[in-house]
Amino acid sequence: MLTLAIVAGAWACTDVVAGKNATVDGSVITSHTADGAFYDAKVRLIPGATFPKDAKADVFWNITTEEDAPPSKIGEIPQVEQTYAYFHVGYPFMNEHGVAIGETTIGQKEDLKTFRPDARAIMTIEQLEVFGLQRGKTAREVIAVMGNLAETYGFLPSCGSEGECLTVTDADEAWIFEVRSVGMMWTPDSKTPGAVWVAQRVPDDMVVVVPNMSRIQEVRPEDKDNFMVCKHYLDFAVEKKLYDPNSGKPFSWQEAYSPLTGNDDWSLSSMWIRNRLYTIHKLLAPSREWDPYAETRSYPFAIKPEKKISVQDVMGMLRCHMEGTPFDMEAHPVWYVKDGDKMVKSPLATPFVTKDLRNLLKIPYDRPVAKWDCAYSFVSQARKNVPDALRTILWFGFDNPHTTCYVPIYNGVTDTPEHWRTFDRNAFDLKSTQWAFILGDELVNKRYQEAMVDMRAVREPLEKSFFDRIPEIDKQGAELAAADPAKAKQFLTEFTKECMDKTQQAWWQLNWQLITKYNNNKGK
């Protein structure tokens, strides 16, 4: 997921994706935490358009804006006659037809790695998402578009030199799409594919957790209901001696292309991958015995949750900091201080311990699911039997998932407020909602034990009010859509803008409350 100069810098992303029979309302869910502090989080709609027959579409580097510079053009491809509207952020997440995409980077072996500026490949994962959302109406169509473009123009890693996984959903299906580059020697003139990829459908009654690791193992291309694959997915592994067909062992996509052990932070044995896999599986099936240190390959591709899950449940998973596990930094003994005859937890105790404070207090680092340096996160729900403009609701939040407030965005929305599209990483701005959440997270973390209570007192009723209104918005939106689809979109846009405006106002008010309540003039 992460475009990193040093991979360990921000420690990448987490996705949770659920089939329609695994959720309480029958919706298909995906999610994403964009764990890089300055990924583009300005939520705006890129309208669909029509183009002349010979038009070209530009291909860009740095769409995420992880680098402190505008995106730069690195190529172009033939444009299609008609594109669909989609929502643009660092990793574009939804189109007008309700297809939603989560993203998370996965490791790949040295033989596959490709780097700029010498690579001839030009398709980053975020550029593939743009084209997929512009050109596909269903999850399968979007995957086919992305796979074909990656093969034709070469997959170019934008997170160091690693592979990528996308969780692609529509109202019927959820898919795990994994793509790898094919090494520095590939050129468009070679007449060979510039990527290897496979996609596996999430069983309708199951959930898949993707914490920066390949989840697809067995590949069955003949099972077209559950797999989409490039023709050469196995041939490339044999050519590069990543798999021996004479070994007698079944082919595993995960093992052939992923680093298994060693010093590579992206290997399947890395603890920062294991601890998230363990934590979320423990939430999905709490009665089962889960080993916190088990090898990641011991986990099944998908798990049937003990209880059907809701959008709010997935929000809770993205917000968690490993509570109740050996990896919770808030539970470290150093936070307990003497108060008379008792040991009490310091009001400064926090699960989001800065590097300097960890060094001072000698707290080992364990990467939580929620990250303080997250640009944004979302949980989407794609629903059947609703009008097109209401197909998917994507719940979006700025900054740390643990301290954010999720706001609903229907796929039929046509605009967002300017304060949700305003951000300069180098200049604090009272007109930017993103800066409101960055400041709020910082203030909460200064005195976490008390300030988190204050934050929840603002967030819980606000977020609940949004959920409580959804049934009525659905009803009114459906009635409008039956008479005039344009009016339905206008209605949904006004609702989303109202929610965004309320959230901005609430967060600035919370910030001023926290500054007033916890400034050091009140210290002893």
Side-chain angles (χ1 to χ4, degrees), residues 174-433:
W175 287 81
I176 305 299
F177 168 81
E178 296 184 10
V179 61
R180 318 280 187 151
S181 50
V182 293
M184 288 295 295
M185 300 307 293
W186 180 84
T187 70
D189 299 330
S190 67
K191 307 299 183 184
T192 60
V196 286
W197 63 272
V198 299
Q200 183 173 353
R201 183 178 175 180
V202 178
D204 288 341
D205 61 347
M206 292 192 176
V207 178
V208 176
V209 182
V210 194
N212 299 117
M213 64 168 287
S214 171
R215 296 311 320 274
I216 299 175
Q217 299 181 31
E218 181 184 4
V219 180
R220 302 189 300 275
E222 71 283 357
D223 181 2
K224 298 188 183 303
D225 287 338
N226 295 296
F227 287 88
M228 298 175 67
V229 305
C230 64
K231 293 179 180 179
H232 55 285
Y233 78 94
L234 179 58
D235 298 339
F236 185 77
V238 173
E239 176 191 337
K240 293 295 182 180
K241 295 182 170 51
L242 303 175
Y243 172 68
D244 180 1
N246 298 316
S247 65
K249 295 181 180 180
F251 174 77
S252 167
W253 165 270
Q254 181 192 71
E255 293 187 25
Y257 293 117
S258 301
L260 304 181
T261 59
N263 295 326
D264 191 330
D265 288 319
W266 295 96
S267 74
L268 293 176
S269 63
S270 293
M271 272 310 305
W272 66 283
I273 295 175
R274 288 195 224 184
N275 64 1
R276 283 177 287 157
L277 201 61
Y278 162 76
T279 297
I280 299 177
H281 277 77
K282 188 170 181 285
L283 292 171
L284 291 166
S287 70
R288 289 177 57 176
E289 290 292 331
W290 298 98
D291 179 358
Y293 305 99
E295 283 290 340
T296 57
R297 284 175 289 166
S298 68
Y299 286 81
F301 169 73
I303 179 175
K304 186 173 183 177
E306 291 181 359
K307 294 191 298 184
K308 291 188 177 186
I309 63 173
S310 66
V311 168
Q312 294 96 323
D313 290 332
V314 179
M315 289 175 179
M317 294 171 195
L318 301 189
R319 283 171 167 155
C320 79
H321 56 80
M322 313 294 194
E323 301 95 315
T325 78
F327 312 112
D328 183 4
M329 290 185 287
E330 184 195 356
H332 195 279
V334 74
W335 292 121
Y336 287 84
V337 296
K338 197 166 186 180
D339 181 14
D341 296 331
K342 298 184 298 182
M343 296 296 288
V344 299
K345 184 175 282 190
S346 166
L348 305 180
T350 175
F352 307 110
V353 197
T354 64
K355 181 179 180 180
D356 289 337
L357 195 55
R358 292 198 307 271
N359 290 338
L360 178 67
L361 299 177
K362 297 181 172 54
I363 298 176
Y365 179 70
D366 280 302
R367 188 251 198 251
V369 177
K371 289 289 269 86
W372 54 92
D373 53 356
C374 178
Y376 63 87
S377 59
F378 73 78
V379 181
S380 66
Q381 52 179 150
R383 296 101 50 86
K384 294 189 71 172
N385 303 318
V386 296
D388 291 346
L390 293 84
R391 181 76 60 216
T392 300
I393 308 173
L394 186 140
W395 298 83
F396 181 93
F398 285 118
D399 208 65
N400 186 349
H402 190 71
T403 56
T404 200
C405 179
Y406 287 108
V407 175
I409 306 172
Y410 281 85
N411 63 290
V413 164
T414 58
D415 196 13
T416 55
E418 185 176 355
H419 55 85
W420 277 64
R421 295 181 274 111
T422 298
F423 183 73
D424 180 346
R425 71 177 74 185
N426 299 308
F428 180 78
D429 188 352
L430 293 173
K431 296 179 181 179
S432 166
T433 304

